[in-house]
Amino acid sequence: MNYRSYYVGVESQVKLENGKTVVGINFDNGATTPPLKCAVDAIQRDLNWYGAIGRSKGQKNAYCTEKYNSIRNNILSFFHLNSEGEHTVVYVKSATEGLNLLAHILLHGNNDMVLISRMEHHANLIPWRENSNHVDYIETDNMGRLQIPTIEAKLRHYGGRVKYVAITAASNVTGYVNDIHQIAKICHRYGAKIIVDGAQIVAHREVDLAGNCPEESIDFFTFSAHKAYAPFGGGAVIGLKEYLFKRDPFLKGGSAVDNVFDYSQKWLESPARMEAGTQNYFGVISMDSALRQLRKIGFHQIVAHENELKDYLISNMSEIPNVTLYGDTTNTEDRIGVIVFNVKGKKHWEVGEALATDMGIATRDGKFCSHPYVTRLLGLTNLPQYEADLDACGMVRISLGLYNTKAEADRLLYYLKTL
Ligand code: PLP
């Protein structure tokens, strides 16, 4: 199935170094994605109806406020939750903001203990380290997979002191999908809450935050809409009301307060309490539209399309003598369409640059905001060696989107064989 007609901009021409123009290929969906047409249409439709959210009187304000708030139910339902349950939705502009918000409001002073993994993006690493003096790490194995049994061992070792376990749902480097429900069960057995970085999963796999039983339920989850075909600054934290309704907000200011006195203030109820300042209405409605479209297409179709392309690329790239692939290239079922590699004798940036200027293929190269994980995958865990080689070490990443095609994969494979 070809999904290109659903998207804006995927047929845009780009200029190569030799002066020719070609339709650009975007294999950088892990960084950001082009918009679905429906997301752009949703914005276009409401431009004539734009008004202030929450604060003012007037028909446009009422229309936007009602829609903005009702979309919270759509978001909950997309993740198999409902408004009667324990979770609520707080809008944010990105996963980075969501994780900073959570690290800021959840940790009570910096003595609360947090477990994170070596697989994390910096967004799910630095905020915890900055807000707690007690962060420990779940290691990855030699294929780069999370060592899930060590989570239980650590939780047991710390005897109930770990308050939060923050883990990615899917890696932005190897594409491994973590079994967040299995991890949730382990966390809950030891009284810890689970926080899931959903940045890489939402556009690729169906996410059921409820799980099959209360022990499997995900306590906090965050994602960015720009990685799910709505690049207009939308995103959300979906989390336990019990926490989001009671804690002091991360961002402070207007719209979050009920009353402000000379030397203190009384916060509003959540979610408004957590959403100070003027909100990004168009980010929210475009996110809603994109998620509904993904649901309509169906995750069976999305996964089937992505797996076909991923396996085609991995098996063909494995045959190219100069290409070194990272992560498990035999058992690929638990990987979304993210493939990392190097070309022997070339620096990662040379390959990334050549793909762009010679072929019009956009990829990402470097350490993908996941320095500890990438250095481990490269076998550079010895710190002095790693520091000496900090800039030189890295990889090239292909990250697939729903609109990518086999013909695009062939163009990449053809070129890699010439390097
Ligand atoms: N987490 C993961 C796994 C990511 O891949 C990214 C971005 O690449 C982020 C968090 C941060 O997302 P954003 O840049 O949208 O805040």
Side-chain angles (χ1 to χ4, degrees):
M1 172 84 186
N2 189 319
Y3 295 97
R4 293 180 85 74
S5 62
Y6 289 60
Y7 287 89
V8 177
V10 294
E11 303 299 342
S12 300
Q13 303 262 330
V14 297
K15 200 165 179 183
L16 305 181
E17 203 169 50
N18 65 9
K20 285 190 182 159
T21 41
V22 293
V23 173
I25 295 178
N26 186 36
F27 281 151
D28 194 19
N29 295 282
T32 198
T33 51
L36 276 161
K37 280 183 182 158
C38 65
V40 178
D41 291 346
I43 293 175
Q44 192 65 45
R45 271 197 306 274
D46 271 10
L47 284 173
N48 288 323
W49 273 92
Y50 182 57
I53 295 161
R55 305 172 170 186
S56 317
K57 295 283 183 299
Q59 284 78 355
K60 289 185 179 180
N61 302 332
Y63 169 83
C64 288
T65 302
E66 200 280 318
K67 195 160 169 184
Y68 175 85
N69 282 321
S70 70
I71 287 173
R72 294 185 211 274
N73 292 338
N74 300 355
I75 305 282
L76 287 170
S77 137
F78 180 82
F79 292 108
H80 297 235
L81 298 168
N82 64 65
S83 58
E84 307 302 311
E86 296 181 329
H87 292 77
T88 190
V89 172
V90 170
Y91 297 124
V92 288
K93 75 171 188 299
S94 65
T96 302
E97 184 179 313
L99 290 161
N100 273 275
L101 180 153
L102 289 171
H104 189 88
I105 67 160
L106 293 180
L107 296 173
H108 266 321
N110 44 21
N111 282 326
D112 280 352
M113 181 147 200
V114 184
L115 268 189
I116 60 177
S117 88
R118 294 291 189 198
M119 189 189 269
E120 301 310 312
H121 185 280
H122 299 160
N124 200 25
L125 188 167
I126 298 171
W128 301 110
R129 275 209 310 228
E130 289 290 303
N131 286 284
S132 169
N133 290 330
H134 302 280
V135 172
D136 198 359
Y137 299 88
I138 304 151
E139 297 297 334
T140 48
D141 66 18
N142 59 0
M143 281 288 182
R145 284 194 177 88
L146 210 60
Q147 296 187 23
I148 291 186
T150 64
I151 301 177
E152 177 139 26
K154 294 253 177 193
L155 289 168
R156 196 180 310 117
H157 171 77
Y158 288 115
R161 280 173 49 219
V162 176
K163 295 276 191 304
Y164 303 102
V165 176
I167 225 86
T168 191
S171 163
N172 60 312
V173 179
T174 47
Y176 287 132
V177 175
N178 292 319
D179 186 340
I180 54 173
H181 295 298
Q182 187 193 356
I183 300 171
K185 264 170 132 169
I186 300 170
C187 294
H188 293 150
R189 264 207 299 280
Y190 291 86
K193 299 285 180 213
I194 180 168
I195 292 131
V196 174
D197 172 0
Q200 292 293 337
I201 199 87
V202 170
H204 304 274
R205 297 279 169 103
E206 177 141 22
V207 180
D208 171 354
L209 294 180
N212 290 321
C213 57
E215 293 74 37
E216 285 189 0
S217 169
I218 304 304
D219 302 306
F220 300 93
F221 181 91
T222 185
F223 71 100
S224 313
H226 74 90
K227 293 186 197 291
Y229 311 119
F232 303 101
V237 167
I238 297 117
L240 294 176
K241 289 175 183 166
E242 182 194 343
Y243 289 72
L244 292 170
F245 280 22
K246 287 195 189 134
R247 301 284 165 100
D248 278 3
F250 174 48
L251 292 178
K252 298 167 177 75
S255 301
V257 279
D258 191 12
N259 273 303
V260 176
F261 311 102
D262 281 357
Y263 298 103
S264 63
Q265 62 281 327
K266 182 172 177 283
W267 303 116
L268 276 171
E269 294 296 303
S270 274
R273 179 194 194 107
M274 294 291 162
E275 294 174 355
T278 300
Q279 296 301 297
N280 178 6
Y281 177 71
F282 292 112
V284 169
I285 61 164
S286 55
M287 165 168 69
D288 174 50
S289 172
L291 294 184
R292 282 190 286 121
Q293 175 84 72
L294 289 178
R295 168 82 65 230
K296 211 154 121 193
I297 292 167
F299 277 93
H300 279 306
Q301 309 283 354
I302 293 171
V303 172
H305 178 80
E306 191 171 313
N307 277 350
E308 195 182 335
L309 218 49
K310 169 192 71 182
D311 288 337
Y312 180 71
L313 275 165
I314 289 179
S315 73
N316 280 283
M317 288 171 77
S318 309
E319 308 270 295
I320 305 175
N322 274 349
V323 167
T324 305
L325 289 161
Y326 301 93
D328 195 337
T329 53
T330 311
N331 301 308
T332 59
E333 262 303 292
D334 64 345
R335 294 181 66 176
I336 57 165
V338 178
I339 301 164
V340 273
F341 68 99
N342 268 310
V343 175
K344 288 186 190 112
K346 296 203 182 296
K347 297 291 182 199
H348 55 87
W349 66 80
E350 292 171 333
V351 177
E353 189 67 26
L355 283 167
T357 55
D358 294 351
M359 298 300 283
I361 300 175
T363 57
R364 171 129 183 233
D365 65 90
K367 292 189 279 299
F368 323 115
C369 298
S370 303
H371 294 188
Y373 188 37
V374 170
T375 49
R376 274 170 177 74
L377 290 165
L378 288 167
L380 300 172
T381 43
N382 172 315
L383 197 61
Q385 175 195 0
Y386 154 52
E387 279 183 345
D389 219 13
L390 195 60
D391 288 333
C393 79
M395 301 167 172
V396 187
R397 180 181 75 182
I398 300 162
S399 47
L400 302 173
L402 183 60
Y403 58 89
N404 287 129
T405 63
K406 188 158 169 287
E408 291 181 322
D410 283 334
R411 204 155 112 201
L412 173 86
L413 291 167
Y414 156 79
Y415 187 69
L416 287 179
K417 287 176 192 157
T418 68
L419 287 177

